[in-house]
Amino acid sequence: MFAKLYDGSTPAAIAIISISIILFAGFLMTRVTKRLRLPNVTAYITAGILIGPFCLNLVPREIIQGASFLSDIALAFIAFSTGEFFRVNTLKKNGAKVVVITLLEALLASALVFVVTYIILGLELAFSIVLAALASATAPASTMMTIRQTGAKGDFVETLLQVVALDNIVALLSYGVAISVAVHSYSGAAFSAWGIITPMLTNAGVLLLGGVFGVLMTLLLRPKTRSTDNRLIISVALLFAFCGVCTVFEVSPLLGCMSMGTVYINMTDDDKLFKQLGYFSPPILLMFFVRSGMSFDLHALVNPSGSVGSSPLLLIGVLYFIARIVGKFSGAFGGCLITKKPRNTRNYLGLALIPQAGVAIGLAELGARTLQGEAGAALLTVILASSVLYELIGPGCAKLALYLSKSYSTKLEDLVNVAETAPDGKEKSPLELLIERIQKIQEELPAHTINEEEAAFNEAAENQRSAMYGGQRESLAQSVRRRLK
């Protein structure tokens, strides 16, 4: 429809205009979702669907395909940020419980999907086992963005982030085993234990290499003379370099970047770098999610000819969607029950594990290239379609879980506690309570410190103001003296 806009344009112009459209579309859609109190991730996915080739077609397909590297970069930033929550002291206190919860919710989701696809629908073993392995993955990006947007804190948030991080470790290991079984199933070759051990060793190598990069980052950022700009430049360069190495060997950078962040926080206890990267990453995450929406092929999903065996893709997608949610919720509830987690964490953790996008989509693309043919295309279509649906409702469910678990609140009385009665026993008026709460919040706010750049800017502005008004005052004084004479 809008393809004529790019007629006669150079490739550089098309790419720049496309990026601008992606950024503006994502931002404008947040104006809508904000009124509906939905997270920004939902807005980005919806914007991608609207401007994608299957709706308004504002962005050429070659740009969408050429931007596939965004998934690796976005996952690198998210995984590195997740590493902040793997402090040694926290793991000693909560590590065993998180492992139990993660194994139950991840493996139960995979088991239910395998039962539905292989036993109930009678699909091929190769397709069923790979799809089941992907079911264990959870989207760290949307979860992190929702937490960042709400400012949620507490035991629920710490447990959720650690479960999501370990969740994707399980997904990567499960996928490595599943794709080996699938390849042997298609080739008819004799099953080899080495085919399962190899992907495990590969992921272990990525984890170790990420730790090495974390040590290197610590050494490069340790000097106190490093400016804020240089800290950002060095950290981004190392994350990009690690992504590049992983891309060469066609492995996910998720585990390594998580290891990098874990090593850095435990060696330095410096959380400022994570906050700085948090300010840098929003445009990258926006483009990643918008691209996911643009990649969604609704026609392939609803086309009657699209099927795996005798089962339509639409039916497979719907059953996968439901089975994974049931598995996640049941597994998380059971894991929290076994580990005696607080009631709020037990009841609502599964609700926050619904989002699924980046890791699952990236692994699905690898699986599609490996399986090839109709099975590979069907695998990617089902994962993309379900991921879009998960990302449309998942962040909203995650935000609801954060609210119901009392990890954040929009009420002023929940932010600070003040005595509702005066020392003489008389009840305070609503106005008095409001004033006391505002004063207490002001007392808890950190003091504003002016950095060198801001100080220089203020000094230059003050000098300019003095020069402007100082000259006027001098002229006025001379005029008064003349009149007095």
Side-chain angles (χ1 to χ4, degrees), residues 173-196:
L173 296 175
S174 300
Y175 170 79
V177 175
I179 199 67
S180 298
V181 174
V183 170
H184 281 85
S185 175
Y186 274 126
S187 64
F191 183 76
S192 172
W194 186 249
I196 295 178

Side-chain angles (χ1 to χ4, degrees), residues 144-154 157 402 407-409 415:
M144 284 288 293
M145 287 187 67
T146 304
I147 292 172
R148 188 182 302 163
Q149 186 181 353
T150 58
K153 297 178 180 179
V157 174
L402 292 170
S407 299
Y408 83 98
S409 175
L415 297 178

Side-chain angles (χ1 to χ4, degrees), residues 158-404:
E158 290 183 3
T159 303
L160 173 61
L161 289 172
Q162 291 174 5
V163 167
V164 168
L166 291 176
D167 204 10
N168 290 295
I169 295 177
V170 175
L172 288 168
L173 296 175
S174 300
Y175 170 79
V177 175
I179 199 67
S180 298
V181 174
V183 170
H184 281 85
S185 175
Y186 274 126
S187 64
F191 183 76
S192 172
W194 186 249
I196 295 178
I197 296 174
T198 301
M200 291 185 175
L201 293 177
T202 301
N203 286 315
V206 171
L207 200 65
L208 181 61
L209 183 62
V212 173
F213 269 72
V215 174
L216 180 61
M217 179 180 289
T218 302
L219 295 176
L220 291 175
L221 297 183
R222 177 165 287 176
K224 296 182 179 180
T225 56
R226 295 277 189 244
S227 66
T228 302
D229 292 343
N230 285 335
R231 283 166 57 86
L232 181 62
I233 291 169
I234 292 171
S235 56
V236 171
L238 286 174
L239 284 172
F240 275 46
F242 187 80
C243 282
V245 172
C246 291
T247 304
V248 170
F249 294 99
E250 296 186 352
V251 295
S252 172
L254 183 71
L255 283 179
C257 291
M258 196 182 304
S259 173
M260 193 188 308
T262 302
V263 169
Y264 181 79
I265 192 64
N266 282 287
M267 289 186 67
T268 64
D269 199 28
D270 173 27
D271 60 347
K272 292 182 180 179
L273 179 65
F274 295 89
K275 294 177 181 178
Q276 190 176 7
L277 288 173
Y279 285 114
F280 178 81
S281 61
I284 297 174
L285 297 179
L286 182 152
M287 289 189 290
F288 165 64
F289 283 112
V290 171
R291 182 186 175 273
S292 297
M294 290 189 294
S295 302
F296 176 48
D297 187 356
L298 180 62
H299 177 72
L301 187 67
V302 300
N303 191 348
S305 62
S307 63
V308 177
S310 59
S311 301
L313 282 180
L314 183 59
L315 176 62
I316 298 172
V318 170
L319 292 178
Y320 170 83
F321 181 80
I322 297 173
R324 180 181 173 274
I325 291 178
V326 173
K328 288 284 181 182
F329 196 91
S330 303
F333 186 90
C336 291
L337 194 64
I338 293 173
T339 56
K340 298 180 180 181
K341 276 288 184 178
R343 183 177 179 180
N344 284 339
T345 303
R346 180 188 68 205
N347 291 344
Y348 306 116
L349 182 63
L351 192 63
L353 295 175
I354 290 177
Q356 183 184 47
V359 177
I361 292 174
L363 294 178
E365 290 178 349
L366 290 175
R369 289 200 297 266
T370 304
L371 297 180
Q372 299 180 353
E374 295 181 359
L379 177 71
L380 186 57
T381 300
V382 170
I383 291 297
L384 279 174
S386 59
S387 294
V388 170
L389 292 177
Y390 282 131
E391 289 303 307
L392 288 175
I393 70 166
C397 292
K399 186 175 182 179
L400 178 62
L402 292 170
Y403 179 78
L404 293 175

Side-chain angles (χ1 to χ4, degrees), residues 84-164:
E84 180 186 1
F85 299 93
F86 281 89
R87 298 174 189 260
V88 173
N89 54 355
T90 304
L91 291 175
K92 288 180 179 179
K93 179 180 66 175
N94 214 25
K97 294 181 179 180
V98 170
V99 170
V100 172
I101 296 170
T102 303
L103 289 176
L104 278 177
E105 57 87 12
L107 297 180
L108 186 55
S110 295
L112 285 180
V113 170
F114 183 76
V115 168
V116 168
T117 54
Y118 184 68
I119 297 177
I120 297 178
L121 295 180
L123 303 181
E124 294 178 339
L125 174 64
F127 181 86
S128 300
I129 195 171
V130 174
L131 188 62
L134 297 180
S136 61
T138 305
S142 56
T143 304
M144 284 288 293
M145 287 187 67
T146 304
I147 292 172
R148 188 182 302 163
Q149 186 181 353
T150 58
K153 297 178 180 179
D155 177 75
F156 181 87
V157 174
E158 290 183 3
T159 303
L160 173 61
L161 289 172
Q162 291 174 5
V163 167
V164 168

